[in-house]
Amino acid sequence: MTGEHSPVQVAVDSAAMGSASASSPGGVPGRSAALPGGIEVTGLSKTYRRVVGREISLTAALADVSFTVAPQEFVSVIGPSGCGKSTIMKILAGLLDPSSGSVKVSGKPVEGPGPDRGCVFQFPGLMPWKTVVDNVVIALEFAGVPKRERRRRAEEYVDLVGLDEFKRHHPGELSGGMQQRVGIARALAIEPVVLLMDEPFGALDALSRTRMQDELLRIWEQTKKTVLFITHSIEEAVVLSDRVLVMGNGVITADVPIDLPRPRSRHRLLSDPRTLELMRDLERLIGHSDDHEPEA
Amino acid sequence: MAIAVERRQMSRRDALRRKLFSKERALQVALVVVVLGVWQYVGKKEGDFFLAPPTSVVGAFTEVLSGGKLWDAVSSTLVGIAIGFVLAAVIGVAVGTLMGTSRSAATALNPVISAGYVIPEAAIVPLLIIWFGLDMTPRIISVVLFAVFEIILSTYAGVKNVDAVLPQVARSFGASRAQVFRKVTCVAALPYIFAGLRMGAARAVKGMVIAELLFAATGVGGAIQDAANAYQTGKVMVYVIVITLIGVGFAGLMQLIERTWLRSWHGDHAER
Ligand SMILES: Nc1ncnc2c1ncn2[C@@H]1O[C@H](COP(=O)(O)OP(=O)(O)O)[C@@H](O)[C@H]1O
Ligand SMILES: [Mg+2]
């Protein structure tokens, strides 16, 4: 089966993207992106400005990016390194101001970080001087959770990610995968409506990586949050997502619904011909987006 | 993930034995014995006038103790070191943190700090005497000058080198600027700050003794000057040892404070 015959809906033109995603394919039907947990990104551009000696360098990282994510939808963003994935994530997290365009979460414009969004980064970013539980506790403190509730909640989410035996350990005593679990527990513990994950498993070995994907599927099915998941692994995107956004230099070049049944098990998915077909489509689309020049 | 985690308590006796009898400990003792042996041999050969051997130093020590002036000298020296070091620590940590968090402050202060760091402070001490006379003030200033730059530069390096991911993560969870500063940046920089304080402590002792030597009047430094003028090398060695003990004790005190403060930093585990 070739890409042309596949029933995948693809919007290769980024200008057409905005309208294509307004009637959002995939996702949870009947849920507007303006409802709690929804994400709306419209005409988002970002240019980094840096002065080195006499030279002012302007890097256009994003050019007119638009997409929506329905509440409780799991959407992956995939694209080659340097195409602007982390920039989207940081703007959604409120860590970075956009140059132009609008970014809304739950129908409200994003103005700085907030406890409605939980972030997981590629590097776990744990405080090395704090134990596993205390790393979660301090995040809850930053998020403004009342003191008497912090420890109970921290322990609850450390249990959820399967680290109950390691509560009193320090990050230096944990493997990379375990540290990333703490990062996930920390993001979930603030009980956000949206989970923003920037290549959370990118630094893990292949085995830990698939195990963490299974864990994430389990947790997501249990907690039902909106997830924006950044990755550069096609398989990861297909296994996890309801929908995959393909990026090439600063623009979204395709929006691919992943119409695989849930609940998913990696084992069943990998023997499903539909999975392979979707992976092949994505591979072709990403190859295509590599030649794509930014319009701005 | 590890298969199982087990935590056991070592008995007090085992813990003590681990501390007292180790290969490193044996080497430490052996090295001291070798130094004392060489010193004794050379001292005996050259005579008390040139270099009093350890056996004569013991005699000189009882003499100094019975003279009753040792405690006065030591306490005057200690008070100066303590006041000067606390001042240097406060100024050093504050300025270093300011430089580490504000780029313009770092740019503005860097030339002065770098110059202050390389200036041989001993050359300035005579000026301090001219400006402030012979009482405690110039000695305390000397201590501050010796210790403060080390502390500033370590703190600056520590604050500047905090893993940039940590403040960003904290901010993403909604931490205010003050929270990021107090709970992330400052704590993350603690190992560097303590390293600076430990080196600063050793330099504070030097700053004090050099000031006293140049005043030739008070404290342990003054006593050294007196003994040297009388060619009593045994007494000189006694005072040098006393100063060394002060310095080692002071640095040890800093290390103790550091250990308790940084316990959570390193995790309190038996095996490292
Ligand atoms: N702080 C910054 N200053 C200047 N340029 C930046 C900065 N951060 C990212 N960029 C540039 O923006 C582009 C997109 O970066 P990023 O969003 O990190 O890409 P990705 O996450 O897809 O690898 C890259 O070309 C990168 O060099
Ligand atoms: Mg990135």
Side-chain angles (χ1 to χ4, degrees), chain A residues 90-95 105 109-119 139 142-144 187 190-194 196, chain B residues 170-175:
Chain A
K90 282 181 194 154
I91 292 172
L92 276 169
L95 294 170
V105 171
V110 167
E111 287 157 354
D116 56 332
R117 286 151 285 149
C119 298
F142 292 154
I190 63 169
E191 298 183 343
V193 287
V194 172
L196 302 170
Chain B
R171 272 204 312 132
S172 83
F173 282 95

Side-chain angles (χ1 to χ4, degrees), chain A residues 46-250:
Chain A
K46 175 69 192 179
T47 302
Y48 288 104
R49 186 171 178 280
R50 236 171 32 145
V51 181
V52 183
R54 283 179 51 225
E55 189 184 271
I56 302 170
S57 74
L58 299 172
T59 311
L62 296 175
D64 194 21
V65 167
S66 301
F67 65 91
T68 60
V69 180
Q72 306 194 341
E73 197 180 10
F74 195 125
V75 172
S76 287
V77 178
I78 194 166
S81 171
C83 71
K85 305 184 294 296
S86 296
T87 305
I88 291 185
M89 147 102 177
K90 282 181 194 154
I91 292 172
L92 276 169
L95 294 170
L96 197 65
D97 290 327
S99 303
S100 66
S102 103
V103 179
K104 290 183 184 170
V105 171
S106 305
K108 290 187 295 281
V110 167
E111 287 157 354
D116 56 332
R117 286 151 285 149
C119 298
V120 183
F121 300 90
Q122 177 166 8
F123 300 102
L126 304 175
M127 320 279 159
W129 59 89
K130 287 205 174 285
T131 62
V132 165
V133 166
D134 287 339
N135 262 286
V136 181
V137 168
I138 199 175
L140 292 172
E141 180 183 342
F142 292 154
V145 173
K147 184 164 185 166
R148 64 204 136 67
E149 211 187 315
R150 288 176 203 155
R151 186 150 298 270
R152 187 195 56 74
R153 245 213 252 177
E155 303 214 348
E156 177 188 334
Y157 282 94
V158 170
D159 289 350
L160 179 71
V161 299
L163 286 179
D164 23 337
E165 293 270 10
F166 297 87
K167 283 189 182 127
R168 316 251 163 272
H169 283 237
H170 282 80
E173 304 171 89
L174 304 182
S175 69
M178 289 156 79
Q179 292 185 21
Q180 207 50 276
R181 281 170 201 259
V182 182
I184 293 171
R186 182 172 62 180
L188 289 171
I190 63 169
E191 298 183 343
V193 287
V194 172
L195 207 51
L196 302 170
M197 309 181 85
D198 189 355
E199 302 194 28
F201 311 143
L204 303 184
D205 61 275
L207 280 176
S208 317
R209 191 171 181 142
T210 56
R211 191 158 345 131
M212 291 299 292
Q213 291 166 5
D214 292 342
E215 283 288 285
L216 181 61
L217 270 179
R218 174 182 70 78
I219 292 168
W220 179 71
E221 269 150 21
Q222 228 170 305
T223 57
K224 278 292 175 187
K225 306 211 175 289
T226 310
V227 180
L228 190 72
F229 188 93
I230 289 168
T231 180
H232 54 231
S233 157
I234 291 174
E235 185 189 301
E236 186 165 87
V238 169
V239 167
L240 296 174
S241 320
D242 295 320
R243 198 147 56 87
V244 177
L245 303 175
V246 179
M247 276 192 81
N249 297 326

Side-chain angles (χ1 to χ4, degrees), chain B residues 49-131:
Chain B
F49 178 75
F50 188 73
L51 174 69
T55 43
S56 315
V57 171
V58 173
F61 193 67
T62 48
E63 203 180 312
V64 167
L65 273 182
S66 60
K69 285 205 186 116
L70 180 65
W71 179 242
D72 282 351
V74 168
S75 63
S76 141
T77 300
L78 276 179
V79 167
I81 292 174
I83 297 175
F85 177 72
V86 169
L87 279 175
V90 170
I91 299 170
V93 172
V95 174
T97 309
L98 180 71
M99 288 173 74
T101 41
S102 150
R103 261 171 75 125
S104 32
T107 314
L109 290 171
N110 222 340
V112 181
I113 306 296
S114 309
Y117 188 58
V118 294
I119 280 183
E121 281 84 0
I124 298 182
V125 171
L127 284 177
L128 296 177
I129 300 169
I130 296 171
W131 296 337

Side-chain angles (χ1 to χ4, degrees), chain A residues 12-23:
Chain A
V12 175
D13 180 0
S14 77
M17 255 294 304
S19 52
S21 59
S23 57

